Structure formats: C-alpha cells, structure tokens
Amino acid sequence: ITGTAKATGGNVSFYNGKTIHTFVKSGTFVTTSDWNAGTNEVEYVVVAGGGGANNNDLGGAGGAGGFIAGTTTISHPSPTAIQVGGGGNLSSPNTLHGGNGTPSYFGTPLTAYGGGGGAGKGSPSDADAQPGGSGGGGDHSPNPGAPGDKQTGTSSAAPITPQGYPGGDGHQSPYSTGGGGGAGGAGGDGGPPNNGGVGGLGRQAPSTFRNPVSSPTSLGGGLGAPGPTGPVPGTNPGGDTSGKFWFAGGGGGGVDNGSNGGGGGGAAVGNSFAGGGYGGHQPDRLGTSGTQNTGGGGGATDNGHIAEPAGTLKGHGGSGIVLIAYPT
C-alpha cells in the first residue's frame, strides 16, 4: 500500500488509511507543508529500553521498559525530537544490580522510562532491584522492605501512569530469583518447585500499528514480538488473535537447580513473550537478552558468566521503539 506522507522521520509505511512512522533509533519527526491539509492529531506508542539482569549468582531479571500510548496534537511547523532508548547492561559481579534501560520519548512531555535493573545477590543497598518503567526482579535473598525490590518508578511520572508493573521477589529455599515487571503485569516471584519467576506480561500495540509489512528490515520482518492471542482481561483490550505485535515483557528469573526451569519472559511458560528474555541456569539452559526494539527485560542466569565467553554474556535489556500514525 502506498500513499503520501505528511511528515518525515523514521521508516514510513501505509496501513489501513494511516501513515505510520517507525523509529528504531533516535531521530526527528518533521511535518511537511501539507500537514494542515489533514488532521493535526497523531497516535503514538513509545517504549523505553528494558532493564538488564544480573547473571552471576542468583541475581534478578530486568524489568521491561515503560510503555505509553495515546494521541497528541502536532502543529506545523513542528520538528519533534524522538529518542529511542537503549537496553540496560547486564551485570555479572554479585554486588551490582543490572543496568536500567534508557528512556524513550516523543518530545520530552511524552517520555517512557527505562526498565529497572535486576538485583544482585547479597544485602548491599546498591544490589537491590531497581525501579523503572517496570521494576527489576529481586535476587534469591529478597531483603524484604529494601529499596528497589518490587518497585516501579512511574507512580508519579507525568503525564501518563502507570507505564509498567513491579518485579517479583526471589526465594531463599529452594533458591530462585524474581522475574522483572512488564508493561501489562507484575513479575512473578521465584519459589517452589525451584523455578525462576516469570517476567511480567507485556502489551500489544494498538490495532493502528498492527501492519504485518510495516516493520523495517532491522526487525526481521515483524514488528514487536510474539505474545498471547486474543484479549487479555484488563491488559489487552481489543487484542487480536495474531499472537504478534507485543512489547515490553519482563525478563525471566534464574534458578539454582538446572533440572528445573528458569522463568519465561513476558509471562510465557518456558520461553519468551513480548521481547522479555527467559531465565535459566548454566550449563543446562542459559537465559537470553531482551529482544531489540521491544523494550523487553533481560533474563537472569544463575552463574551464566561461567559458561559464556567474555563479551557474549546474555541478559541485557532490549532497546525501545517509537511509533507515530496519522491519516494518510
């Protein structure tokens, strides 16, 4: 489907009477001279970078990047800065939490906040799970009440809240760690039967953006990531049955016993939904990083740093994305 865009910036596509601008890296949305010939209201989705996990010794998973969606008015001439946030770095030292993701924004008033990093093992305050768009998961010793555990940093973030949910807590006996929060639900707690907590559920892009051919080559031909099919009560109103176009799933927690499963990302069982990396244990099954341009949180792997060569460690957060649409 072709059409005439009324703005520049990002990858431009046309679907169901709308022009869609997809930003997978930072840039500028610039209206053209015929902007006022149509509407000045646009739809948007802004997803921040997901948080990184700690994969040294029963650290927590990363929380998903914040997810915001809605409409806003853009007047001409109006160049609007777009930032696409990067995913948070993985941490392997015991005493450090995973890195928070970087914010994404469509003009500074519309900011989605980066996902919180997963907790490191132990009791130092700097090892607690971090708040963010969605909160990071707790380590195997959750330290009840410690700052960062099961928190999200968006309860007072203007203008749109909430952007995500808290991460889960870890469990001491048997040892397992919490899943990172997702844009559509809280991360699961670790616990019997020695499973890592699942990452929190993500969110599906609104129907305007579900064009199966709109995604740039860098996304491998599919916008977003796999996810549940059909409506999810309270989370996915108007959801379709494609099982596609999902974003901002939390990372899965890790486990101490490799014979039992690490937490799935984005509330999946044993795998990954909505771009959240799944958790694991070395050497049986190593966890994964969040998927790029989904804002997914990184999955935690108990002692993953032992099995993975330097420079290849998994558990980083996935980068974010910005989508903008208006009538063609």
Side-chain angles (χ1 to χ4, degrees), residues 60-63 135-138 150 166-170 177-182 186-190 196-200 250-254 263-264 298:
K150 303 189 72 174
D169 273 337
T177 68
D189 294 341
V198 296

Side-chain angles (χ1 to χ4, degrees), residues 11-325:
N11 297 277
V12 179
S13 59
F14 304 92
Y15 175 65
N16 203 23
K18 298 291 181 70
T19 301
I20 300 172
H21 294 247
T22 301
F23 287 84
V24 295
K25 60 182 180 181
S26 300
T28 307
F29 179 80
V30 183
T31 58
T32 60
S33 59
D34 59 349
W35 180 254
N36 289 331
T39 181
N40 62 359
E41 184 176 80
V42 302
E43 297 178 67
Y44 64 85
V45 173
V46 181
V47 183
N54 178 298
N55 81 347
N56 187 290
D57 186 9
L58 287 166
F67 180 109
I68 60 175
T71 61
T72 191
T73 298
I74 298 292
S75 299
H76 176 78
S78 184
T80 305
I82 305 294
Q83 176 168 295
V84 174
N89 288 329
L90 169 75
S91 175
S92 58
N94 282 350
T95 56
L96 298 177
H97 56 72
N100 280 24
T102 304
S104 293
Y105 56 73
F106 175 27
T108 52
L110 298 176
T111 298
Y113 295 91
K121 175 185 175 182
S123 60
S125 60
D126 65 353
D128 291 327
Q130 296 298 290
S134 284
D139 61 61
H140 85 277
S141 178
N143 304 318
D149 269 0
K150 303 189 72 174
Q151 285 189 1
T152 176
T154 58
S155 61
S156 61
I160 298 171
T161 58
Q163 299 183 1
Y165 287 80
D169 273 337
H171 193 272
Q172 283 189 301
S173 181
Y175 293 131
S176 52
T177 68
D189 294 341
N194 206 21
N195 288 335
V198 296
L201 184 69
R203 286 184 61 182
Q204 193 177 30
S207 59
T208 293
F209 300 99
R210 298 178 202 157
N211 178 4
V213 298
S214 68
S215 60
T217 303
S218 63
L219 295 182
L223 187 67
T229 60
V232 178
T235 298
N236 194 37
D240 65 20
T241 59
S242 69
K244 300 178 180 180
F245 312 111
W246 283 80
F247 296 87
V255 294
D256 187 44
N257 184 341
S259 65
N260 294 293
V269 177
N271 209 325
S272 174
F273 274 172
Y278 58 75
H281 174 275
Q282 74 85 19
D284 310 273
R285 171 176 150 130
L286 300 177
T288 59
S289 296
T291 303
Q292 294 302 300
N293 297 120
T294 68
T301 301
D302 179 36
N303 289 328
H305 68 290
I306 296 175
E308 297 171 284
T312 67
L313 299 180
K314 307 298 191 299
H316 301 277
S319 58
I321 196 168
V322 176
L323 308 172
I324 303 166

